[in-house]
Amino acid sequence: MKENLKMKLLEIKSTYQDDTEALNAEATLLICDFLSELGYSEEAELFQSYMYYA
């Protein structure tokens, strides 16, 4: 799972390297999905709401 997350983050980085706003949005969603899969749904929602204002 850890390597899968790392590969997806690298893919997002290469896809959105010229658009930092899209990069941050996609990475945030990916991390939130990862947290939810680990059973941290509430934490994922909090993290996503914090990143929305960052």
Side-chain angles (χ1 to χ4, degrees), residues 31-33 35-36 40-49:
I31 291 169
C32 288
D33 288 345
L35 287 171
S36 292
Y40 297 103
S41 298
E42 289 181 34
E43 290 83 350
E45 288 179 29
L46 283 172
F47 180 74
Q48 187 172 7
S49 69

Side-chain angles (χ1 to χ4, degrees), residues 8-32:
K8 286 182 179 181
L9 285 169
L10 290 172
E11 181 181 319
I12 289 170
K13 183 178 179 182
S14 69
T15 302
Y16 298 102
Q17 62 186 352
D18 296 326
D19 187 351
T20 55
E21 190 173 320
L23 172 67
N24 287 336
E26 291 296 319
T28 297
L29 290 174
L30 180 63
I31 291 169
C32 288

